[in-house]
């Protein structure tokens, strides 16, 4: 098992767009004594993202980046390199990263997706699973490659879909599972 104490921790950037519960969870995880990562940067395409505001409030280095202009990723890349970022965790990040960007961080970008991939790539996963009367729903942490929600799976966790379930109850239950498995996935790839 590798030792990630103090300065050895893997410098990590979190990309966030929305409420940021996964971001908060990863920040908490990073502060644990034996955690292999430190959160050194938070990037958001949404200035109003609760996750982004939380990171700011907690004095984590934050950068707003619109992700609207696919050509100019130079400044973002140089920021990431300057801080020696070795791992990127997408946590409710709602933009698609361009291939050229992903190439620069090959095998170093993780994403959390609220479905049992390869089922239900893209948006509205719970709605679709619910409509299809799936037996199980769940979430997946996977590496990011150039195809949407298609990179190598690191870990998955499922939960039964009950008759009394609603979209909102599924969302809540799966989100809890997400918070469980994202740190485990990070340990799995780093330890
Ligand atoms: C999560 O369900 C995540 O899997 C998906 O977007 C949601 C974001 O939640 N990609 P949060 O911003 O981490 O609270």
């Amino acid at each position: 098992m590798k030792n990630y104490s103090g300065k050895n921790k893997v410098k990590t950037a979190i990309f966030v767009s929305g409420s940021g519960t996964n971001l908060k969870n990863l920040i908490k995880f990073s502060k644990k004594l034996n955690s292999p990562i430190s959160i050194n940067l938070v990037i958001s395409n949404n200035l109003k993202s609760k996750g982004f505001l939380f990171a700011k409030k907690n004095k984590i280095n934050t950068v707003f980046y619109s992700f609207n202009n696919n050509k100019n990723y130079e400044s973002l890349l140089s920021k990431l390199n300057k801080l020696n970022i070795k791992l990127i965790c997408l946590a409710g990040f709602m933009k698609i990263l361009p291939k050229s960007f992903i190439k620069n961080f090959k095998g170093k970008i993780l994403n959390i997706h609220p479905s049992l991939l390869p089922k239900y790539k893209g948006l509205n996963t719970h709605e679709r699973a619910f409509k299809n009367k799936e037996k199980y729903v769940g979430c997946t942490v996977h590496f990011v490659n150039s195809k949407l929600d298609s990179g190598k799976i690191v870990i998955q966790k499922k939960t039964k879909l009950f008759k009394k379930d609603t979209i909102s109850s599924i969302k809540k239950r799966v989100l809890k599972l997400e918070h469980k498995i994202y740190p485990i996935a990070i340990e799995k790839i780093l330890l």
Side-chain angles (χ1 to χ4, degrees):
M1 202 186 256
K2 288 185 196 164
N3 177 14
Y4 284 108
S5 60
K7 280 182 186 165
N8 291 334
K9 288 187 190 273
V10 175
K11 293 194 166 62
T12 303
I14 302 178
F15 285 30
V16 67
S17 299
S19 56
T21 63
N22 276 292
L23 168 136
K24 282 184 196 167
N25 184 54
L26 289 182
I27 291 174
K28 197 171 151 200
F29 167 66
S30 74
K31 288 182 177 161
K32 285 190 176 162
L33 200 63
N34 297 325
S35 169
I37 59 165
S38 59
I39 308 299
N40 297 74
L41 183 64
V42 169
I43 307 263
S44 184
N45 62 313
N46 174 12
L47 283 169
K48 290 182 184 155
S49 154
K50 275 192 192 164
F52 190 62
L53 296 172
F54 177 85
K56 267 194 162 176
K57 211 172 140 193
N58 284 274
K59 311 251 176 311
I60 295 171
N61 204 352
T62 50
V63 172
F64 166 76
Y65 206 87
S66 76
F67 289 89
N68 285 335
N69 176 1
N70 268 4
K71 284 173 206 142
N72 186 11
Y73 281 87
E74 292 307 316
S75 64
L76 179 59
L77 274 175
S78 78
K79 183 85 191 170
L80 291 163
N81 288 330
K82 215 171 163 184
L83 292 173
N84 206 13
I85 298 295
K86 296 287 184 227
L87 178 69
I88 293 176
C89 292
L90 309 184
F93 182 64
M94 302 309 283
K95 290 275 183 178
I96 292 174
L97 292 169
K99 284 180 190 163
S100 58
F101 181 88
I102 294 169
K103 238 183 174 179
N104 274 282
F105 280 90
K106 206 171 169 235
K108 291 178 183 165
I109 311 178
L110 289 176
N111 181 39
I112 182 123
H113 185 75
S115 83
L116 295 169
L117 290 172
K119 279 192 168 176
Y120 307 115
K121 296 173 182 174
L123 297 174
N124 305 320
T125 55
H126 300 316
E127 286 80 352
R128 288 185 281 150
F130 187 73
K131 209 172 148 197
N132 287 344
K133 297 192 173 68
E134 292 285 354
K135 267 194 174 163
Y136 293 96
V137 288
C139 49
T140 306
V141 177
H142 64 93
F143 283 104
V144 171
N145 66 10
S146 58
K147 285 191 193 144
L148 183 69
D149 300 327
S150 298
K152 190 173 171 230
I153 291 172
V154 180
I155 191 169
Q156 267 184 335
K157 187 103 183 148
K158 63 182 179 180
T159 173
K160 234 182 170 167
L161 195 58
F162 300 107
K163 279 220 171 90
K164 61 171 196 250
D165 263 322
T166 59
I167 307 281
S168 137
S169 70
I170 299 170
K171 254 185 202 162
K172 261 193 199 159
R173 204 156 70 245
V174 171
L175 198 57
K176 267 195 185 163
L177 293 182
E178 292 184 29
H179 297 161
K180 253 193 194 157
I181 67 167
Y182 216 161
I184 296 174
I186 291 171
E187 285 179 341
K188 197 172 166 191
I189 65 160
L190 294 178
L191 292 182

